Amino acid sequence: MCLAVPGRILAISGADFFRTARVDFGGIVKEVNLACVPEARLDDYVLVHVGVALSVIDEREAAEVFSYLKQMEELAELAPPPPVDSSPPATPPS
Amino acid sequence: MCLAVPGRILAISGADFFRTARVDFGGIVKEVNLACVPEARLDDYVLVHVGVALSVIDEREAAEVFSYLKQMEELAELAPPPPVDSSPPATPPS
Amino acid sequence: MKFVDEYRDAPAAHQLADAIARRVTRPWTLMEICGGQTHSILKFGIDELLPRAVTLVHGPGCPVCVTPVELIDAAIALAGRPGVVLCSFGDMLRVPGSGSDLLTARARGAEVRTVYSPLDAVALAQREPAREVVFFAVGFETTAPANAMAVLQAHRLKLRNFSLLISHVLVPPAIAAILSAPDNCVQGFLAAGHVCTVMGLEEYHPLAAQFHVPIVATGFEPVDILRGVLDCIEQLESGRAEVTNAYGRVVREAGNPHAQAVMREVFIPCDRNWRGLGVIPHSGLTLREEFASFDALRRFDLAAVATATAGECIAGTILRGRAKPPACAAFGTRCTPEHPLGAPMVSSEGACAAYYRYRARSSP
Amino acid sequence: MKFVDEYRDAPAAHQLADAIARRVTRPWTLMEICGGQTHSILKFGIDELLPRAVTLVHGPGCPVCVTPVELIDAAIALAGRPGVVLCSFGDMLRVPGSGSDLLTARARGAEVRTVYSPLDAVALAQREPAREVVFFAVGFETTAPANAMAVLQAHRLKLRNFSLLISHVLVPPAIAAILSAPDNCVQGFLAAGHVCTVMGLEEYHPLAAQFHVPIVATGFEPVDILRGVLDCIEQLESGRAEVTNAYGRVVREAGNPHAQAVMREVFIPCDRNWRGLGVIPHSGLTLREEFASFDALRRFDLAAVATATAGECIAGTILRGRAKPPACAAFGTRCTPEHPLGAPMVSSEGACAAYYRYRARSSP
Amino acid sequence: MAHAEITLAHGGGGRLTQQLIERVFGPAFRNPALDARHDGAVLNVPAGVRLAFTTDTHVVKPLFFPGGDIGALAVTGTVNDLAMCGARPRWLSAGFVLEEGLPMETLERVVRSMADAARAANVEIVTGDTKVVERGKGDGVYINTAGIGWIEQPGTIGPAAVRPGDAVVLSGDIGRHGMAILAQREGLAFESPIVSDCAPLWPAVEALLAGGIEVHCLRDLTRGGLATALIEIAESARCGIAIDEAKVAVTEPVRGACELLGLDSFYVANEGRCVAFMPAVQADAAQSLLARTAPGGPVVSIGRVSGGPAGQVTLRSVLGVERVLDRLSGEQLPRIC
Amino acid sequence: MAHAEITLAHGGGGRLTQQLIERVFGPAFRNPALDARHDGAVLNVPAGVRLAFTTDTHVVKPLFFPGGDIGALAVTGTVNDLAMCGARPRWLSAGFVLEEGLPMETLERVVRSMADAARAANVEIVTGDTKVVERGKGDGVYINTAGIGWIEQPGTIGPAAVRPGDAVVLSGDIGRHGMAILAQREGLAFESPIVSDCAPLWPAVEALLAGGIEVHCLRDLTRGGLATALIEIAESARCGIAIDEAKVAVTEPVRGACELLGLDSFYVANEGRCVAFMPAVQADAAQSLLARTAPGGPVVSIGRVSGGPAGQVTLRSVLGVERVLDRLSGEQLPRIC
Ligand code: SF4
Ligand code: SF4
Ligand SMILES: [Mg+2]
Ligand SMILES: [Mg+2]
Ligand SMILES: [Mg+2]
Ligand SMILES: [Mg+2]
Ligand SMILES: [Mg+2]
Ligand SMILES: [Mg+2]
Ligand SMILES: [Mg+2]
Ligand SMILES: [Mg+2]
Ligand SMILES: [Mg+2]
Ligand SMILES: [Mg+2]
């Protein structure tokens, strides 16, 4: 459920229940209701579901998984390979 | 104005403003209101205008023009040709 | 078809034409009243069978042609209202109002339906109680009983969604108007056979007497029309001016009393504006007060405001028999059935349309 | 697209899958709640990247799938009423009711429109005051703020021709129901990231504690889902059962307070019938009494009478994670997207449809 | 449950479109070109053969009428246009526009009827297309057919070959198709025994060609009827045409309907009648060939190509008076008043 | 006054139909076959040439969209289907279904656009037909085109010629046409820079053939998109096809629209893109020929014909996992919830 897509705010107008932004999704632009994200500003990325913005995307948090992976990689380079478990290797079927 | 066509009564039903006949026009059949021709009977020919019968056709009167013509013909055979008038002969352009 | 084919018999028609030719000694101008007769005359070429001395001019008897612009506009306006279905005879659909016509209105979304009979419109109103069904009731005396019957049926059925937009006209006042004009040239009339079927001949006697013109009730087929012409010429040549009946198989001296009763129950005479001719006193019919609720103009609170006719159109002159269509400067050039300037070009019974359709023209 | 493409990065996904494989020591069954996640998993083949020991089962989080038959029937009935326009998200149109679906109803003349947003339905109601606009408001907590906003906008605009046909459901009661079932097999949850965006994590803590299951707020892209799985496995392998957030870029601990406020202003919790699962107490939302005039069921005096589900469909078992779609005897044969027996085959997010679409089948 | 009605999904190019092709169109039209299921049919033409190519979209209402239906019409109309080029009809394309909600059974009936008509006319439906439009954007089903025929004789048949003095032969009575349709139209409906004349004309044309008739021009009398066909030829050929009203056969019921509605049978559509132009000396031979092979009523030589003004068709009325035959503005409207 | 809108009379076969032909269609499409004004066009085919014959009806809404209109589409769609048979597009028929009330100016624009597209594709519109339907029985204008093309090379191009091991080359980025249309649809509308890819493909096909590529099969990616085209070929050819998702180009705005509406670009319609099948050894040569001649984005070899189950198309996802590509049921519905 709940298809929601991140887009960048190009312009803001209206107020209250009718606070609205033009939001860019990879080049296409749609009107989006901003009433639930009063903190959203121009150029912010918002997560949009059925025409309503539900969250301002946190750029720092967005990088977390990648720093985690980087960290893991660095650890892997230092540490010996992990013990083999009973599950098959996680490679895709060719 | 007033396109009206003769047709033969095939069947009669209803009464009053809704007295209606199935009328045959050369093989096609249409419902016709008979309220204005209470005297009309099965097999009579009626003159129909916009779905309403306006007259029962008088078969004897219908022959009048032809008896007139026949009479004229017989007269013509007896009488000398009429005097030539100033108008052109009444033949169609070829 | 019985009672049709016999009257298209070529030898009989030629025999009558010969008789006319033999009888004529000098030029005569006759007017056939009815557009249906005009149509027959042009389609079969009856005028070309007549001696040159006999001229047929074409009268105002096309109800489609004489329906005033303001009523066409009202019909278009009504048809465009949501929920309203305007029902009409096919002929009315192309008649130009001041800006448009019903066909164009329909193309733009108005609801317009062609019906064969006003009684079909009543049945539609009964079938679809949620819509307002308006019937565009045009016509002469011939059509008045049918339209009256529609009202009586709707009344009996207690329909509250049926009404008439009325443009009913009467023949005798029009004949009187034509004959009263200072430039009148009509010397004899072929009266409209189907009008006489309803009304009889009675009301023509005073006209024949007052204006000293023969009036001959005439049918629509070639033999009928020629027979009417012959009767008329006979009278003219012998100096008589009587009302006679050359259409005895359907016309009775007293007309159809039942049809007249239906008509009188529903309608009363009123003044009417004739397109091309102007207002003629007591020349039309309107609903009696008891049936006022069936009057579309009142029901929808529409004012039918008279508008000026197009400057170039000489329909009035043509409808009074003072000119034939090719005499109009616009005929066949600026005025065609595709783009009619006046109603006589648009109704298939209109004199201008009949000439356009059946007579060679210099190519456009 | 920024914030999308990065999370479809193949090396990152494989790295996470490797990490999961390294961490797993024994079989675990996880359930992703959300149909959108099911869709992603099948489309990208994320499940095939996981070690065999990790089984993903698919939860009830497709609002289209769980909308009860009686509400679909009500929607169809409403759409068929003259003057009513039923607006709906595209996904709802093919869902079978007891006899038909909205697409078929439309083909038969009902007025059904696809909209992108409930706010578009409000705009439509404003534009066309003569029609009754009914919005088919299905959804979980993610969609509730938008639907509530529609009501608030309509209220502010004083629209009297707008209403909602509501089938709003809530995630936590469904999780509780699944975990309470005697045959439950789910050991950890990927919580629906967008529901958490609105509601935050608070309400999941009691569930995690009571049933001792890890609950990880998870996003929708491959990297997000794998990260969620890894978090969940980490907890399971280390014996923890916490509520954690693997979707930090949009989910805050407290959720979105503004969205919650809008939602609470308009809706209150109620019991709901879930298609395939039956009635779950306090598992849905309905309009507060102040907004009762926006309730289509009341406005049109419709009774949504519960009807029996098709005998063969095991949607309930699937939605509780007890079986995967190919286990259903009807799957791919008597039940296909063209002729679905149950909702999970018809919504593009439904588990059955996702398997039908993305997994090879023995040919029909 | 199988779909009882056409839905938009049947036109979406997906599985339902495929099912429509496999279950409805395929079985009815089966032939190697269609079975190849490619973007178009691949066809071999014998050397020395020229092609005729034509198209018509059929939008008739009601879909089923006495003597035929839209399917039969869609095939017959196009094979007749090919025949009018002197071409042996060979291949048809079929393009359907279906309105959402169309009963599947209606489509199946129409398609079966097309298949029957194609068999009768000895043509193959080798390529096709289906679109589904929203309810209220169509009228059940519209069918376009385009056709390819083989012209095997060397001469050119068409208005350009018409010569003054040519005889004009009419292949049967007129007005049936249009009146069979009108009899069913809402608001004008009447009971009638009139059956559409819908029928293929190629056998008649083939007989003329095989019989050595030097056919100058052929024209089927569809929309606009006999009058419009003659006017079009007179205009394209820049000649005059004079015909005799009394020679044109109209059955009694067609006449009855025309009288009742104030219509002129000369402008009413036919679907199995044509006029043929040939040197006057061959008129009798052509007439007797047509009498044996053309569908429908009496075959009559109704007139001549004249030296009259280019584009002018004159008609000698039953009274013997000549008048011009004019194009109508559009469709005839019932003349009632 | 000239008619500002189409009326039923324009379809009645009378004077207004004639005016429409003379004033709107004639000037735009003028060529000798059409000027003959007969029931069909007469056409000469060189000896040794086989024909391709195809048809499509176009019912697009809106009529005008970024990058094209229904007129351009009606021509391009059909010439592309001919090109996909390896045929040089030569002649088109045009069948119009006009809705009463259509602004005349709209029709004129559409017709001009068809004429331009025909010139660009080097085809002639040689025969046509116009019908007018009542308001509420159409949607402005529907256009059917049928097309005839010349197949000048001896081989057969079509699913039957596909062989295991063949390379599958995609001629450009996908999803533009469908998204350009969807951007304008009521209820879903969005602002977008997406322009339809509507363009003729014959020049690219001609380049392949002239370049000595042994083309086994061609298919344009219209209704149902890339996925449906591949599935259809796999089914008709009774082979498997394996493609690589990462190789398929989709522009950012098309992706944005797909994400927003929950649609899959693989199923979105294109009007100037095709897949070509040829022996794998020729894939590079084919790619560079197409890169010079095909309209649109990067030309890429996206996969191979496999020995897999007949009719099965597998896709390696961006994560490297294989899954099947399935036909959709009907049109994609926006997936929002
Ligand atoms: S030709 Fe036209 S403009 Fe002239 S009188 Fe007749 S209707 Fe009027
Ligand atoms: S495959 Fe169909 S019948 Fe089986 S559970 Fe899924 S929806 Fe129900
Ligand atoms: Mg044709
Ligand atoms: Mg034709
Ligand atoms: Mg023809
Ligand atoms: Mg197609
Ligand atoms: Mg419809
Ligand atoms: Mg095609
Ligand atoms: Mg195509
Ligand atoms: Mg194609
Ligand atoms: Mg045609
Ligand atoms: Mg419309």
Side-chain angles (χ1 to χ4, degrees), chain C residues 98-232:
Chain C
S98 62
S100 179
D101 55 50
L102 284 166
L103 270 188
T104 306
R106 186 174 70 185
R108 290 182 182 153
E111 195 163 10
V112 180
R113 296 207 199 160
T114 306
V115 293
Y116 167 68
S117 166
L119 306 181
D120 295 341
V122 174
L124 176 67
Q126 200 181 3
R127 248 185 357 256
E128 303 199 14
R131 349 248 330 227
E132 276 288 341
V133 175
V134 179
F135 180 71
F136 198 172
V138 302
F140 279 80
E141 291 90 330
T142 318
T143 315
N147 289 342
M149 190 90 66
V151 171
L152 293 176
Q153 286 193 352
H155 187 252
R156 181 72 59 86
L157 294 166
K158 299 196 170 48
L159 299 183
R160 310 197 152 281
N161 62 328
F162 179 78
S163 58
L164 301 184
L165 181 64
I166 303 172
S167 177
H168 253 298
V169 281
L170 300 172
V171 167
I175 293 187
I178 288 164
L179 290 171
S180 305
D183 59 353
N184 171 54
C185 63
V186 179
Q187 295 162 300
F189 283 94
L190 307 182
H194 295 152
V195 166
C196 297
T197 303
V198 171
M199 301 305 292
L201 303 178
E202 221 163 295
E203 53 190 358
Y204 296 96
H205 290 290
L207 287 168
Q210 183 190 342
F211 295 98
H212 198 77
V213 283
I215 300 180
V216 181
T218 303
F220 292 76
E221 300 300 335
V223 165
D224 292 322
I225 291 171
L226 287 161
R227 177 63 204 253
V229 171
L230 178 58
D231 269 24
C232 213

Side-chain angles (χ1 to χ4, degrees), chain E residues 36 38 42 44, chain F residues 50 84-86 151 153-163 209 214-218 277:
Chain E
H38 193 36
V42 176
N44 290 306
Chain F
R50 284 173 305 158
M84 296 301 102
C85 299
I151 301 176
Q153 76 287 357
T156 293
I157 292 174
V162 168
R163 293 286 167 269
L209 296 173
E214 188 190 312
V215 178
H216 287 167
C217 188
L218 295 162
F277 291 67

Side-chain angles (χ1 to χ4, degrees), chain D residues 5 14 43 338 348-349, chain F residues 252 255 319 323 329 335 337:
Chain D
D5 296 346
H14 284 279
K43 181 172 182 193
E338 284 70 50
S348 45
E349 282 167 81
Chain F
E252 188 83 352
R255 287 197 50 211
L319 303 187
R323 61 171 168 91
S329 190
R335 185 170 67 88
C337 227

